[in-house]
Amino acid sequence: MAANPSPATVTGVGHRLTRLNLACQPSSSDIKPTTMMTSTIDTASTTSTCSASVISIRANNIIAQTNPSVKYFRILDADPYDKQSNPNGIINLGTAENKLCADILSKKLAEFQHKPEEESLNYYPALKGASTFRSAVAKFVERHFKSNHRIDPENLVVLCGTTPVIETLSFAVAEHGDYFMIPTPYYHRIYNDINDRAGINSLDVPLYGMQGDIKKAYDLTVAAFETTYKDAVTKGLKVKGIILLSPHNPTGDIYTKNQLIDILNFANKYKLHVIMDEIYALSVFDTYKDKFTSVLQLDVPDPDRVHVIWGFSKDFGLSGYRVGCVYSRNQQVIKYFETVAIFSMPAAPILQRLEYLISDTDWIEKEYLPVYQRRLRESFDIVKQRLEKHGIRVYPSQASFFIWADVTKYLKERSYKAEEELLNRILQAKVYVMTGQHNFSCEPGWLRVIFSVNREQLNIGLDRIESVLISIEEEQAYKPKHISRL
């Protein structure tokens, strides 16, 4: 792993809500310096605009935040690919949705059409979620996450997706203006989930992937956390927690037991909360299916400060169902969730259908998971081979939906601007992917490509991406330019 570059200057926080990277700046002399202090909002700067507006200052502040998902969703919604009605539309290889087993899931979900719905589903459910559903989730988690202790359904809360779960946790364990440490790169929505309304800032722990063997990139070490934490405290920042994603988005990494223990001990040392996002827990390639370690398998040093998140959007490809769960042994956290749950409760009939789904252990273990995990690995291999054919380094994912690709050879220069220019060329070819900057990579030169779509769309999308790469290769043949690596 490359040594951390010199710390960047940190300005006063005040009323600003910022995403800070205290250490991550490109170190090579031929790289243009690029600040990573994006999405900074100063309430004072918007006052004049808002005074003439019919909406509030805080609403304008959120609108002004950098949010690639909103920007590109609008573009996608205006021109979506459809084999019959719009074959020249945009193929979405940027949104992390799981469509690999739509055939199997549709058949299974059709069974529930004939299940009778209880009259009680027409009325308000329990604030934490229906008790029978939480009991089913508890049993499911104990079995598939291999928990070393009983999962008490009373320590589970169900909300309409993991986004409100993360936001509610932010309100529960930190104050407006506090910081959560997050190793880079990371899922682009995390920043918005903690910041847009809860006002929690993200403090990047910079990890690197450009130098040396890509198989050893992004090494999660306590040393990186110690450096970032001490630097933040020196500058007067109040760090309250850590967010970890395992399996990881966007690299597809699975943190080892020792890595998790080290970070848990680090958090305990400084009394930090650990928000463990395990939403891809079952989305592990068949060749690595026994490698995933849930934090629930470990003897954590401070159970009151460890909170585990999971949902149905990824592992079961049911993002439209909008159901996410949090498990915490901190009773005050659970009470807070129960108190505010009414703002983001899922629909009771949906919970009944999901209860049927996860209670069918034979179907999950003998039919669904073997096919799903095999298809994940096959789709990853297809994209990897096609990109490597063009000399693109691909991070060796073990799980989740992502190709994390080093595309520096196709950039005019190593900068986030050039990364965005490549994205725009791919978008013009009618494919949407995400840049490394959108996923808070602390070094430019990366793309995140989703492979969890049906095979036909995947191949069409790859054909279009390759057409862009070939065009750039032809341009470079006339005008060669070397981009040095970090």
Side-chain angles (χ1 to χ4, degrees):
M1 186 177 73
N4 288 359
S6 300
T9 301
V10 180
T11 58
V13 179
H15 291 289
R16 292 174 180 267
L17 303 182
T18 60
R19 172 182 162 267
L20 291 187
N21 192 318
L22 301 179
C24 182
Q25 292 291 336
S27 57
S28 182
S29 59
D30 62 336
I31 301 172
K32 294 182 178 180
T34 308
T35 180
M36 288 296 292
M37 292 177 61
T38 59
S39 304
T40 300
I41 304 300
D42 189 334
T43 56
S45 67
T46 61
T47 302
S48 59
T49 301
C50 296
S51 61
S53 174
V54 295
I55 64 173
S56 66
I57 292 175
R58 60 187 174 186
N60 270 297
N61 286 345
I62 290 176
I63 290 171
Q65 296 261 18
T66 301
N67 192 334
S69 60
V70 173
K71 172 184 176 182
Y72 289 103
F73 279 2
R74 288 170 180 157
I75 295 173
L76 289 166
D77 288 344
D79 188 21
Y81 172 87
D82 183 272
K83 184 178 179 179
Q84 303 301 327
S85 63
N86 192 22
N88 295 319
I90 300 171
I91 292 201
N92 185 356
L93 301 183
T95 302
E97 284 192 305
N98 173 14
K99 301 179 181 179
L100 284 176
C101 288
D103 54 339
I104 299 174
L105 277 165
S106 295
K107 181 180 177 182
K108 185 65 178 175
L109 294 174
E111 297 177 13
F112 307 145
Q113 302 293 340
H114 308 292
K115 298 280 188 181
E117 288 191 355
E118 298 176 9
E119 184 180 344
S120 61
L121 300 181
N122 297 333
Y123 309 109
Y124 290 125
L127 290 170
K128 292 194 289 188
S131 60
T132 57
F133 176 72
R134 286 186 287 112
S135 293
V137 170
K139 292 177 182 177
F140 174 85
V141 169
E142 284 179 9
R143 184 179 185 92
H144 293 282
F145 290 54
K146 299 179 174 64
S147 171
N148 69 354
H149 61 279
R150 176 181 175 268
I151 302 297
D152 187 346
E154 293 305 309
N155 291 337
L156 276 165
V157 180
V158 184
L159 298 182
C160 58
T162 55
T163 289
V165 168
I166 293 172
E167 182 186 69
T168 306
L169 271 172
S170 300
F171 277 108
V173 305
E175 305 294 345
H176 189 284
D178 288 349
Y179 287 78
F180 287 159
M181 303 177 73
I182 315 174
T184 67
Y186 56 88
Y187 164 54
H188 70 282
R189 275 287 322 179
I190 289 283
Y191 175 78
N192 301 100
D193 293 351
I194 67 175
N195 184 273
D196 280 1
R197 298 194 296 190
I200 310 303
N201 304 308
S202 56
L203 179 64
D204 293 356
V205 180
L207 306 181
Y208 301 87
M210 289 291 190
Q211 184 174 350
D213 185 356
I214 198 167
K215 295 179 181 179
K216 298 178 181 178
Y218 303 116
D219 187 21
L220 187 76
T221 66
V222 170
F225 277 83
E226 286 279 5
T227 298
T228 303
Y229 179 80
K230 290 176 180 177
D231 198 12
V233 171
T234 298
K235 294 175 170 63
L237 307 183
K238 194 168 184 179
V239 183
K240 293 297 288 291
I242 297 169
I243 298 178
L244 290 181
L245 301 87
S246 182
H248 192 264
N249 175 357
T251 66
D253 256 337
I254 300 173
Y255 294 142
T256 67
K257 177 180 178 180
N258 288 337
Q259 285 176 316
L260 291 173
I261 290 173
D262 286 346
I263 299 303
L264 288 171
N265 287 333
F266 165 83
N268 185 46
K269 176 181 175 181
Y270 295 109
K271 303 304 178 188
L272 303 177
H273 288 266
V274 176
I275 298 173
M276 197 73 214
D277 186 340
E278 297 186 352
I279 196 171
Y280 293 97
L282 305 183
S283 300
V284 180
F285 303 168
D286 55 0
T287 47
Y288 298 101
K289 63 181 180 179
D290 297 320
K291 189 171 181 180
F292 171 67
T293 298
S294 170
V295 74
L296 296 173
Q297 299 173 24
L298 308 177
D299 294 321
V300 301
D302 187 356
D304 273 354
R305 286 189 173 89
V306 176
H307 320 284
V308 185
I309 296 170
W310 181 76
F312 288 81
S313 296
K314 312 305 180 183
D315 290 340
F316 285 104
L318 296 172
S319 51
Y321 273 44
R322 308 307 304 135
V323 175
C325 314
V326 61
Y327 171 73
S328 175
R329 284 180 275 184
N330 185 317
Q331 295 309 305
Q332 290 301 104
V333 166
I334 294 298
K335 286 180 181 178
Y336 176 74
F337 265 86
E338 189 174 16
T339 302
V340 300
I342 198 166
F343 289 105
S344 49
M345 295 168 67
I350 290 293
L351 298 189
Q352 185 185 59
R353 298 186 80 186
L354 294 178
E355 183 180 334
Y356 291 143
L357 184 75
I358 60 175
S359 297
D360 192 341
T361 300
D362 282 348
W363 176 81
I364 291 172
E365 296 182 354
K366 296 177 181 178
E367 185 174 351
Y368 179 72
L369 283 181
V371 175
Y372 172 48
Q373 293 173 343
R374 172 175 54 81
R375 289 181 182 178
L376 275 173
R377 189 252 311 155
E378 289 173 349
S379 295
F380 172 81
D381 287 343
I382 287 170
V383 183
K384 181 175 183 287
Q385 290 166 10
R386 292 189 64 170
L387 294 181
E388 287 183 339
K389 181 176 68 177
H390 294 273
I392 291 174
R393 296 194 312 162
V394 173
Y395 190 77
S397 299
Q398 302 163 338
S400 63
F401 309 160
F402 315 107
I403 289 284
W404 186 242
D406 172 4
V407 292
T408 49
K409 67 173 289 188
Y410 290 94
L411 304 184
K412 294 179 181 179
E413 60 183 15
R414 184 173 303 150
S415 68
Y416 297 110
K417 178 182 178 182
E419 198 180 74
E420 196 77 16
E421 289 172 353
L422 177 60
L423 168 63
N424 288 334
R425 289 187 67 158
I426 294 173
L427 197 56
Q428 287 172 6
K430 295 301 184 75
V431 183
Y432 170 56
V433 296
M434 292 197 79
T435 65
Q437 185 183 24
H438 289 163
N439 289 277
F440 302 120
S441 171
C442 69
E443 52 192 5
W446 297 91
L447 289 182
R448 191 193 78 166
V449 183
I450 305 300
F451 57 79
S452 52
V453 298
N454 74 66
R455 189 67 56 82
E456 183 179 20
Q457 285 192 30
L458 181 63
N459 284 325
I460 295 171
L462 291 173
D463 289 342
R464 295 177 181 181
I465 291 173
E466 282 196 86
S467 70
V468 173
L469 300 180
I470 291 169
S471 294
I472 294 173
E473 289 166 3
E474 292 172 350
E475 293 166 9
Q476 290 175 338
Y478 291 99
K479 204 173 182 181
K481 185 171 182 179
H482 173 70
I483 300 179
S484 63
R485 294 194 178 278
L486 288 174

